[in-house]
Amino acid sequence: MGEEDRHRQERAENGTGRGEPARLCLVEDEMAIAEAISFLFEREGWQVEVVTDGAAAINAVRRVRPDIVILDLMLPGRSGYDILRDIKADPTLAGTQVLMLTARGQERDRERAAALGVDRFMTKPFSNLELVGTVRMMLEGAGEETEG
Amino acid sequence: MRERETGEAPSGREGADPRETGRRIRARRRTLGLDQKALAARIGISPAYLSLIENGRRKAPKALLERLAAALDMAPAQLLGVRTGADWAEVLATLAARHRPADPPRPEIAHAERLVAEYPGWARLVIEQGREIEALEARLAILADRLSGDPYLADTLHALLSSVTAVQASADILARTPELAPAEIERFRFNLSVEARRTADRARALLEHFDRSRLDRPLEATTPREEVMVLLARHDHHFPAIEAAGNASSAAARAAAREVAGALGAELSAEARPLLHAALELLAEDAAALPLSGLAAALEAVGLDPAVLCARLDVAPARLFRRLVALGAKEGDGPMRELGLVAFDRAGVVLWRHQGEGLTLPRLRAACALWPVFRARADEIGHHRLLTDRGTPIEAWTAVEIRRGAEGVARRISWQLVRQIRHDAGHGGGSAAGRQLVVGASCRLCRRASCPERREPAFFAPPVPESASGAPD
């Protein structure tokens, strides 16, 4: 029990350099996907805030001030592009990275997300290992140059 | 001029298509008021065989074609679509009227016959290019819709990928996490089973969509409503069984509609079938309320004046519009054939579309906002003279129909009947042409250079700036 906790703590701090768990915000309207992803992230010791509505997303992000926002593109209320634009336009969120996670993986969507300053772009379906690995890499590389 | 055949004039080979020949036979037969049985008896074949020929499924041998032509009072070459010089001149004139450039010099339409006689090669080039352009533009309109406006494909694919993602993520957690708590196992199993079922449903829906696309309508039908419109168009919006039953009673017409919907619905998706049934039922009610014979008689008496016709026949404008179009379909090649009809709901979504000859009507949505249909009033038939973005003069009648929906909710549907104004007929009224409202089908296909209502750029660069008002955009 204690060992497991310590292990998680180590993993969680990995790369953040703050001595506290990484904070993530997951914006995803499909509950089954949100449950799976938050389970995976929590297992890594990361704190996860799940938002299922596009309109509520930006306020949640401002409140949580996460290290990374994992953002779906097609959302009720407000599109992922708009939320991405809001995040990137907010100077208080300068340290927040955005991983866009979408079933729309066309070149056009990637280009548009890149133009809006997205940090990473992943398409659904993804493998759990790949997703966790990408987020870990983003956390480790925070503040460094990322290879979008 | 029927005897003077210049089969070598522009592209005489096009008559080789048995479907075209069949269509000409049917049109001519209907014009002469003959039914299949009567014509078949005259030329000594079975009605079933004649039907196959008319539907283009059999090619009539030469001797039979000659008998057919004689019975129909036509030259065999005409049935095959080999045209005379005068016919070609008319084709040229129609093309020229459809694509009249904004600036002079304009085509000398009056001299079309001379052009064909003296320069058949040039005439042929113009005709073939004109047709090619029209075919390409029609295809472009469909593709543009498909790419940007196939909500069904985009949504279904997105939903499928989402449920696959959920299945994969849940299954992976269950398989790779030995220390899962019982409640977690329960939760992910539940998600897995729900999402697996949704994946199957969505995959099936997507397969059906592609299966349908593989049939003879590869591009057109992108939504259930489009499927119905494409099917109606393939039948020319004309269903003899419903018309015949409509002469008896409204109940008979509706029964016939049910039967036709049952027979034709098999080739549609499950979602499209109820829409087909509703559409045919509407046509059946129309047929019972206003038989085509009565409409034809009234039309002959007062001409194409919808307001007068409505009063005289005591029918609602939208019904009259639909019946006029039906009459055109029945006549095969009469003047009513040029009528187009389109209907929109309050959000501007196309609910009904009957493409008249030589007209471009919007397909799924995003119709030109300038169309008078969007200003149609419930209490009167509007009548407007317009110019298309290609310079073709058209006239449009508009009317609003209030229909009770399933829960007694009133639906407000705006109808617009359109037709091209023929060059000679519209000549007198052309003085105000410069000030006429210029409309297109939809922004992506519109050539109008500056338009206050433009939502998105056109595929084509606009050819010439508008000379009419000169108002900068």
Side-chain angles (χ1 to χ4, degrees), chain A residues 30 32-33 35-36 39-40 43 72 74 103-104 124-129, chain B residues 158 161-162 164-166 168-169 172-173 176 179-180 184 187-188 191 195:
Chain A
E30 291 278 344
I33 298 177
E35 282 185 4
F39 173 84
L40 291 169
R43 260 188 79 229
D72 188 15
M74 307 264 278
R104 286 183 52 162
K124 292 176 184 171
F126 50 82
S127 91
N128 292 356
L129 283 176
Chain B
H158 182 260
L161 287 171
S162 286
V164 166
T165 304
Q168 191 168 303
D172 192 70
I173 289 170
R176 288 180 199 248
E179 75 274 16
L180 276 180
E184 287 171 335
R187 183 156 56 108
F188 287 116
N191 285 352
E195 292 298 326

Side-chain angles (χ1 to χ4, degrees), chain B residues 92-424:
Chain B
L92 257 185
T94 310
L95 268 181
R98 245 176 237 170
H99 294 279
R100 206 145 40 126
D103 290 324
R106 298 206 167 92
E108 294 81 3
I109 292 176
H111 301 298
E113 199 156 353
R114 242 177 76 197
L115 179 67
V116 174
E118 287 178 29
Y119 302 103
W122 281 108
R124 174 180 179 159
L125 185 68
V126 170
I127 289 172
E128 285 186 355
Q129 282 187 338
R131 284 181 177 164
E132 206 170 308
I133 289 169
E134 280 179 1
L136 284 172
E137 286 181 354
R139 200 165 169 80
L140 182 62
I142 293 168
L143 283 169
D145 262 359
R146 180 105 203 204
L147 285 178
S148 64
D150 185 348
Y152 184 79
L153 185 60
D155 288 355
T156 316
L157 196 59
H158 182 260
L160 177 68
L161 287 171
S162 286
S163 47
V164 166
T165 304
V167 166
Q168 191 168 303
S170 308
D172 192 70
I173 289 170
L174 284 167
R176 288 180 199 248
T177 324
E179 75 274 16
L180 276 180
E184 287 171 335
I185 294 178
E186 182 64 24
R187 183 156 56 108
F188 287 116
R189 272 193 186 158
F190 176 77
N191 285 352
L192 183 60
S193 93
V194 169
E195 292 298 326
R197 208 169 309 128
R198 290 169 82 186
T199 303
D201 290 345
R202 288 163 173 176
R204 203 172 300 124
L206 202 59
L207 275 178
E208 268 188 25
H209 184 69
F210 288 134
D211 269 351
R212 282 198 306 276
S213 307
R214 272 212 310 269
L215 298 179
D216 55 343
R217 41 193 186 290
L219 294 167
E220 292 96 325
T222 52
T223 65
R225 185 162 291 282
E226 270 294 297
E227 279 184 63
V228 174
M229 285 301 115
V230 169
L231 186 141
L232 292 181
R234 262 197 295 146
H235 289 265
D236 220 2
H237 288 67
H238 182 63
F239 300 91
I242 297 177
E243 291 294 340
N247 289 329
S249 73
S250 161
R254 289 157 68 116
R258 245 192 323 277
E259 204 164 299
V260 174
L264 298 178
E267 53 187 290
L268 297 183
S269 67
E271 305 105 299
R273 277 173 220 155
L275 296 180
L276 173 67
H277 186 211
L280 290 175
E281 212 159 54
L282 182 66
L283 293 181
E285 283 163 18
D286 287 347
L290 180 54
L292 291 180
S293 52
L295 175 60
L299 200 57
E300 194 146 333
V302 301
L304 182 59
D305 186 335
V308 173
L309 285 169
C310 277
R312 188 181 168 109
L313 295 162
D314 191 25
V315 288
R319 171 157 288 163
L320 177 80
F321 290 178
R322 291 191 294 268
R323 293 309 275 162
L324 284 168
V325 168
L327 186 65
K330 182 182 174 253
E331 284 179 343
D333 52 1
M336 295 302 117
R337 177 127 192 106
E338 292 178 356
L339 289 171
L341 181 62
V342 62
F344 299 89
D345 67 11
R346 271 183 282 203
V349 172
V350 179
L351 297 180
W352 194 275
R353 192 186 67 246
H354 183 115
Q355 199 84 31
E357 273 178 12
L359 293 167
T360 308
L361 297 177
R363 294 174 49 78
L364 292 172
R365 48 197 178 156
C368 173
L370 293 171
W371 276 23
V373 66
F374 297 115
R375 283 174 284 129
R377 290 171 49 168
D379 52 350
E380 64 174 28
I381 296 182
H383 184 211
H384 310 263
R385 280 175 172 253
L386 312 158
L387 269 178
T388 70
D389 58 313
R390 284 123 211 259
T392 312
I394 56 172
E395 60 187 323
W397 291 271
T398 58
V400 170
E401 183 179 44
I402 311 284
R403 251 195 267 163
R404 293 276 147 201
E407 284 105 36
V409 184
R411 294 185 76 196
R412 187 181 187 276
I413 297 165
S414 303
W415 292 82
Q416 176 172 281
L417 185 71
V418 207
R419 79 163 168 181
Q420 194 178 329
I421 300 174
R422 284 277 157 224
H423 183 67
D424 42 349

